[in-house]
Every structure is written in C-alpha cells, then in structure tokens.
C-alpha cells in the first residue's frame, strides 16, 4: 500500500508516495482520492480478519455486528502504512465499521481535530473499546481535550460520560504540561459523578482517579488518596466501589515504591 503523507492535501484527495520511480530518486508523488483510500483500507482489513477474533469480541463486551474481526496489532500495522491524514480519518469514521473507527484514532492528526468532531464522534461511541482508544490515542492530544472533560462528565449517555473520565485518565498519563489545578478540578468531577453505578461509567471514574493518584505530582497523589478515602466511606455503592478500587491500587503502588 502506498504511504500517505499529511502535507499538501487537496479537496477529496491526499498526497501519497508512489512506489514507482527509479532507484536513488525520490518517489513520484500522486494524488489518491480519499474514497479510494478508504476502499483500500477496508479491503485490507477484510483480508486480515478472522472469525476467531470477531467471535472473541463478545467476551470483552464489544459488539461485533459492525466488525470484521481484526486484531489491534493489525489495525496499528495498517495505521503505520497509511500515515497521518485528517480527511482520511473522518472518512474512515463515517463508514461505521468498528475497525475503521479504531484505525481513525491512529490516522487522524491531533492538531486538526475539531471541537465539533469530538462531540460528533463521542455521540457515536457504543462500546468501551472505541471510547477508550479514541480518548487514549487521539482526543487527549487534541486542542479541545480539557474543555470536553467537564462537558461530557455531565452528560447522561453512558459512553459519553465514560469518555469524560477516560479522557481525564489519558490526560493524566500523557499531558506533561497540565497544571495541578486542572487535575484538582478533575478530582471534583470524579467525586461528583462517582455515584453513577453503570458499569462502564464507574470503571472510567476509577481509571481517572487511579491515574491522577499514580502518575501526577506528590500533591495530587495526596489529594487523590483523600478523595478515594472519602468515596470508600460513601453510602452510595458505586462511589464506595470506586474509592475502594482506587485505594487497593494506591496500596499496591506504595508497596512497590517501598520495596524499590
């Protein structure tokens, strides 16, 4: 497959490096329409699909009605072949195929991800794997990431709400420039929404709390520990679960530090 570059895009096409050309010479550039790139990518995914992978999705609560059955390793392999292209990512997303949407997370250009795009794609989330991959591999690097955390945290939709906390967890892991104050506000959101007992929401809330408590500054570790202790004593079952889950994780991390 020809390699896509992220420069010199024209409407409906992207510049690619053609494999043609004489030895020692630069490859001959060619313009490939986005719809052709999508067709090529979908055909590649179908060739690398297996019924075993597709059937196994159910074990992880991932719907397979719109999936081919392609492993994540193969999806990431194809993403490396394609390179970065905002137009291609958007077109892949619009196909509705599970693997194409996973691929979009690795193909899109984070700096070009728009606020409306994030909201539109988030409304399409229908499983935790798509939600977490988009937040972990793309959205947390987008210019509007921090604005979406409080916005989505207040939404009712299960996977939109999970996205708020998956995004907060991803920012805790990846955003080295963020100030402690941003995560302190995140802890307030965690405590506020910790009573939601839906499985994918409470696990997302716990992930965010644990990430802040383990990956940020000593001051934030202290604040996250205090939050976890309060939640562990809550009268609300979901909040209590989140608090205890985080406390177990923090205890393991502390034991590892003590033994180092």
């Amino acid at each position: 497959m020809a390699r896509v570059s992220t420069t010199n895009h024209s409407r409906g096409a992207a510049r690619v490096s053609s494999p043609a050309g004489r030895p020692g010479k630069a490859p001959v550039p060619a313009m490939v329409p986005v719809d052709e790139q999508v067709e090529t990518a979908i055909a590649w995914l179908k060739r690398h699909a297996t019924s075993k992978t597709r059937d196994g999705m159910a074990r992880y609560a991932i719907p397979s009605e719109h999936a081919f059955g392609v492993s994540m390793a193969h999806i990431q392999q194809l993403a490396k072949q394609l390179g970065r292209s905002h137009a291609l990512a958007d077109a892949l997303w619009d196909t509705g195929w599970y693997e194409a949407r996973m691929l979009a997370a690795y193909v899109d250009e984070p700096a070009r991800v728009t606020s409306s795009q994030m909201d539109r794609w988030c409304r399409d989330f229908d499983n935790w794997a798509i939600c977490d991959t988009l937040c972990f591999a793309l959205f947390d690097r987008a210019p509007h990431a921090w604005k979406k955390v409080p916005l989505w945290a207040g939404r009712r939709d299960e996977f939109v709400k999970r996205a708020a906390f998956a995004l907060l967890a991803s920012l805790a892991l990846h955003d080295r420039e963020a100030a402690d104050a941003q995560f302190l506000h995140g802890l307030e959101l965690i405590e506020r929404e910790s009573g939601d007992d839906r499985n994918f929401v409470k696990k997302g809330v716990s992930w965010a709390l644990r990430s802040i408590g383990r990956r940020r500054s000593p001051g934030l570790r202290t604040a996250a520990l205090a939050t976890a202790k309060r939640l562990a004593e809550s009268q609300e079952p979901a909040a209590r679960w989140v608090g205890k889950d985080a406390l177990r994780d923090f205890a393991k991390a502390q034991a590892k530090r003590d033994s180092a």
Side-chain angles (χ1 to χ4, degrees):
M1 180 178 291
R3 185 172 180 83
V4 180
S5 154
T6 58
T7 58
N8 299 319
H9 290 294
S10 66
R11 183 175 301 174
R15 181 176 293 277
V16 301
S17 297
S18 168
R22 288 176 292 178
K25 298 293 183 178
V28 179
M31 300 303 290
V32 179
V34 169
D35 58 353
E36 291 185 17
Q37 295 178 57
V38 171
E39 289 178 7
T40 301
I42 294 296
W44 191 98
L45 290 169
K46 287 180 177 179
R47 288 197 304 272
H48 289 79
T50 67
S51 57
K52 180 179 179 181
T53 300
R54 188 175 185 274
D55 294 343
M57 294 172 68
R59 292 199 302 272
Y60 301 98
I62 302 171
S64 59
E65 292 86 353
H66 301 290
F68 302 120
V70 184
S71 70
M72 180 59 75
H74 277 122
I75 291 170
Q76 292 174 333
Q77 178 186 340
L78 178 56
K80 289 179 181 179
Q81 293 180 33
L82 292 170
R84 294 283 183 174
S85 169
H86 181 63
L88 176 57
D90 199 48
L92 286 167
W93 187 268
D94 285 344
T95 67
W97 287 107
Y98 170 79
E99 289 88 354
R101 288 182 166 182
M102 282 289 200
L103 184 60
Y106 297 101
V107 168
D108 210 343
E109 302 167 73
R112 298 185 64 189
V113 173
T114 67
S115 176
S116 60
Q117 174 191 347
M118 291 177 75
D119 287 333
R120 178 168 58 87
W121 287 16
C122 189
R123 287 193 296 269
D124 287 340
F125 292 167
D126 61 355
N127 66 81
W128 66 268
I130 285 286
C131 172
D132 293 4
T133 300
L134 266 293
C135 290
F136 187 84
L138 179 64
F139 283 175
D140 67 332
R141 296 164 176 81
H144 311 282
W146 276 104
K147 295 178 181 178
K148 298 304 178 183
V149 173
L151 179 65
W152 293 346
R155 297 289 172 82
R156 180 61 188 165
D157 183 276
E158 183 174 12
F159 289 107
V160 174
K161 196 167 186 177
R162 181 185 174 95
F165 296 101
L167 183 54
L168 180 58
S170 300
L171 287 163
L173 296 171
H174 298 149
D175 190 350
R176 308 323 301 175
E177 304 299 322
D180 281 7
Q182 292 171 279
F183 290 105
L184 288 173
H185 181 50
L187 289 174
E188 293 175 3
L189 294 174
I190 286 169
E191 194 156 5
R192 188 190 79 188
E193 302 297 336
S194 62
D196 193 320
D197 64 357
R198 289 176 293 177
N199 184 54
F200 293 114
V201 174
K202 72 178 183 180
K203 287 185 175 179
V205 172
S206 174
W207 182 22
L209 177 56
R210 290 181 286 111
S211 297
I212 294 171
R214 292 191 61 173
R215 297 303 186 95
R216 304 307 301 189
S217 68
L220 283 173
R221 269 206 306 268
T222 300
L225 179 61
T227 299
K229 288 179 177 178
R230 286 194 300 273
L231 293 179
E233 297 174 354
S234 173
Q235 297 301 307
E236 295 184 306
R240 192 163 59 248
W241 181 91
V242 169
K244 290 182 177 180
D245 190 48
L247 288 177
R248 283 192 297 271
D249 193 60
F250 295 159
K252 290 178 183 177
Q254 185 61 52
K256 188 175 181 179
R257 287 193 293 269
D258 291 343
S259 64

